[in-house]
Amino acid sequence: MEPEEKLTRRNFLSGVATIGLSSTLGSGLLFTSCSEKGKQEPLHPVEELYIPELPDKAIDGKPIKAALIGCGGRGIGAAFNFLDAGNDLSIVALADLFPDKLEAGKQRLKDGKNVHIPDEMCFTGFDAYRKVCELPIDLVLIASPNCFHPEHMKYAIEKGKHVFVEKPAAIDPAGYRTFVAAARQAVNTGINVLPGTQYHFDRPFVTSYRKVQEGLIGSIISGYAYYHTGRDQYIVRRPEWSDMEYMIRGHFNWNWVNGDQISNMLIHWIDVFNWFTQLKPVNVIAYGSRIRKNIGNVYDNFSMHFEYENGVMLEGMVRRIDGCDNGAGIVIQGEKGSWHSSDFSIRNRNGETIWQYDPEAAKSKFKVHDMYTLEHIMLVDHIRKGTVLDIAETAATSALTAVMARESAYIGKRYTWQQISSSPLNMLPEQMALVNVDLKQFGVPLPGTAFIADD
């Protein structure tokens, strides 16, 4: 491994002190799986794992009132999913940084779900999240830009609210530690936190997970994850927008807001690999560049090689470039076979399918197959049963795994889990206001050097 190095990229160091969580991170994630050749042994006792039941509808119980933070497409989608999860569920308040985004989301709720939110329950600005968290509600749905997830979740938990928070949990080590501390506080105080890692509640993924844990592919050796699609949305800047407003509205193009492509896209498959293996990474070496991207400061492609605990390896690739072959998925290789997300099958070493998820059988047994709705069904069930859903910290581990790979690509060096978990890196600008700033400070990362500005 490379000797431990300090991050030197200008303008993204806040001097935030490490709060001492790194020594215990990943606790409960490690297991060993030594099986005799040809004998099926469980990787981990299935009864000790969280495997959701996934009913079609949440149980009835006390009415649950929710507020939505972030009224864009994913936020309104989450609100719809929550409302579809069961009876006596309501959205009663909205928050967004921008008034026009809030009004558009408000209209979509009215048109799509006949939900009318009065003006006095609508809040805008950087402190809007605080205002809705202080209302007499039960649940907060957080779908704000990625950089705000840790602080918004932290405040909601401090106010005693259950939380749904979109992925990624964080996009830098400082946010990661904030998220983990809040997640632990939630568990200790009986508050449910549901991270937006929806594959954990998708019927074919959950069934596959059980089969892998039962030992059908043997001890996990490696994985290959990929996510390829077209370019991000292009935001045309309006004359009245400040620099900060321009960056936040076009958040896909700026790494301090969005986290770059690994945190935004490939994290889905990184999280699946972490979930299936129950391991965390030890180190990573990654590469990335901008081939056709001409706005913002994110890359449009990355490639990475992770080494995990127990010598397990993961190869990952992500690309957002128009005109190329697209696709997304993961293959997890075991000593006796492999699992493929493309068709939810398990194949032996000869490539023969020995098990495959049966969607027709699932359709005959269940009515609801939308993973976004199913995750909210499970959240409502936990709230109404008074049980605690303890999976948020695993989502944080996946988020930091993505951050570790991004930072390795940015600086051009191998990065270790110890380095990234103890790093003071905080990507938020010092001044968080809709003002003009020197955009040169948000330069494109150049491996082997400090940050440089766009020409």
Side-chain angles (χ1 to χ4, degrees):
M1 297 181 189
E2 298 285 339
E4 186 163 320
E5 299 191 12
K6 295 181 180 179
L7 291 174
T8 58
R9 295 189 291 111
R10 300 193 305 271
N11 309 306
F12 290 113
L13 288 176
S14 69
V16 177
T18 302
I19 61 176
L21 293 175
S22 59
S23 63
T24 57
L25 296 175
S27 60
L29 293 178
L30 177 63
F31 65 85
T32 57
S33 54
C34 298
S35 57
E36 299 174 11
K37 188 174 181 180
K39 181 181 178 182
Q40 183 175 325
E41 274 191 24
L43 300 189
H44 195 277
V46 174
E47 63 273 11
E48 296 181 8
L49 300 169
Y50 175 67
I51 301 179
E53 298 174 356
L54 303 180
D56 284 328
K57 186 178 180 181
I59 62 173
D60 289 335
K62 70 171 186 176
I64 298 176
K65 295 180 180 180
L68 172 64
I69 301 173
C71 298
R74 180 75 282 271
I76 296 302
F80 279 28
N81 300 140
F82 167 70
L83 294 172
D84 289 340
N87 298 324
D88 295 317
L89 307 174
S90 59
I91 305 291
V92 300
L94 301 176
D96 199 283
L97 178 58
F98 303 114
D100 61 312
K101 290 284 189 181
L102 188 146
E103 286 301 319
K106 181 180 177 181
Q107 189 63 45
R108 286 186 60 192
L109 278 171
K110 183 178 179 181
D111 294 342
K113 290 294 183 181
N114 196 30
V115 172
H116 176 70
I117 310 295
D119 292 342
E120 61 269 22
M121 298 295 281
C122 296
F123 306 90
T124 59
F126 281 106
D127 63 346
Y129 76 98
R130 289 178 170 265
K131 293 177 180 177
V132 296
C133 289
E134 291 162 3
L135 295 171
I137 57 174
D138 307 290
L139 170 67
V140 176
L141 310 175
I142 300 173
S144 48
N146 297 347
C147 63
F148 301 122
H149 291 172
E151 181 57 34
H152 290 179
M153 170 190 162
K154 175 177 177 286
Y155 195 74
I157 290 170
E158 288 175 353
K159 294 301 177 181
K161 314 303 181 186
H162 300 285
V163 173
F164 165 80
V165 56
E166 256 301 345
K167 60 85 191 166
I171 60 171
D172 57 35
Y176 162 74
R177 289 189 291 272
T178 296
F179 190 98
V180 169
R184 292 178 180 178
Q185 180 183 349
V187 171
N188 291 335
T189 55
I191 292 173
N192 282 284
V193 177
L194 174 68
T197 49
Q198 68 273 8
Y199 292 138
H200 291 243
F201 301 91
D202 191 34
R203 298 193 191 282
F205 277 92
V206 171
T207 307
S208 298
Y209 174 68
R210 180 185 288 273
K211 290 294 180 181
V212 169
Q213 297 306 320
E214 289 172 351
L216 207 55
I217 68 172
S219 298
I220 294 174
I221 299 169
S222 64
Y224 165 60
Y226 61 97
Y227 204 131
H228 305 314
T229 186
R231 281 193 298 176
D232 308 299
Q233 61 193 54
Y234 181 80
I235 299 295
V236 178
R237 182 170 182 171
R238 296 182 182 178
E240 65 271 21
W241 290 352
S242 66
D243 294 332
M244 289 292 288
E245 181 168 354
Y246 168 58
M247 286 191 285
I248 295 174
R249 284 185 181 271
H251 58 94
F252 284 108
N253 301 308
W254 301 92
N255 58 18
W256 74 265
V257 192
N258 182 261
D260 218 323
Q261 313 300 357
I262 308 175
S263 291
N264 191 51
M265 297 171 56
L266 193 64
I267 188 172
H268 286 297
W269 302 119
I270 289 173
D271 179 70
V272 167
F273 189 75
N274 289 0
W275 174 34
F276 274 53
T277 64
Q278 297 286 294
L279 300 173
K280 71 175 188 294
V282 175
N283 64 71
V284 64
I285 183 74
Y287 308 85
S289 66
R290 288 161 64 96
I291 296 175
R292 292 179 59 187
K293 192 80 175 174
N294 58 7
I295 185 173
N297 67 348
V298 299
Y299 286 0
D300 56 19
N301 69 97
F302 288 89
S303 179
M304 66 216 71
H305 170 82
F306 292 97
E307 180 182 347
Y308 276 69
E309 297 163 322
N310 292 1
V312 174
M313 306 292 181
L314 173 65
E315 306 291 335
M317 296 192 301
V318 58
R319 180 185 64 214
R320 295 204 75 157
I321 300 176
D322 290 340
C324 301
D325 285 346
N326 292 336
I330 187 170
V331 177
I332 298 179
Q333 181 67 51
E335 61 180 356
K336 297 190 298 183
S338 56
W339 173 76
H340 301 252
S341 69
S342 58
D343 59 357
F344 302 106
S345 70
I346 290 178
R347 307 171 194 176
N348 63 23
R349 295 296 294 273
N350 295 324
E352 302 164 335
T353 299
I354 59 174
W355 175 84
Q356 188 167 15
Y357 179 75
D358 187 347
E360 295 306 316
K363 288 178 182 177
S364 67
K365 187 176 181 180
F366 301 103
K367 296 179 181 178
V368 177
H369 300 274
D370 174 52
M371 57 187 171
Y372 297 99
T373 302
L374 288 168
E375 64 181 349
H376 283 275
I377 289 172
M378 296 310 303
L379 174 60
V380 172
D381 274 357
H382 278 279
I383 293 172
R384 286 178 169 167
K385 291 177 181 179
T387 55
V388 177
L389 181 62
D390 184 11
I391 62 172
E393 194 168 333
T394 61
T397 299
S398 296
L400 196 64
T401 303
V403 171
M404 184 170 70
R406 181 197 69 210
E407 293 303 307
S408 174
Y410 279 2
I411 66 175
K413 293 182 180 293
R414 186 178 302 277
Y415 228 101
T416 69
W417 180 262
Q418 180 59 37
Q419 284 176 301
I420 199 65
S421 61
S422 61
S423 166
L425 178 63
N426 183 337
M427 299 183 75
L428 285 175
E430 291 183 7
Q431 183 181 15
M432 190 55 65
L434 298 181
V435 297
N436 287 322
V437 296
D438 181 7
L439 288 178
K440 291 182 179 180
Q441 67 180 297
F442 302 102
V444 178
L446 186 65
T449 72
F451 252 35
I452 63 169
D454 282 329
D455 295 333

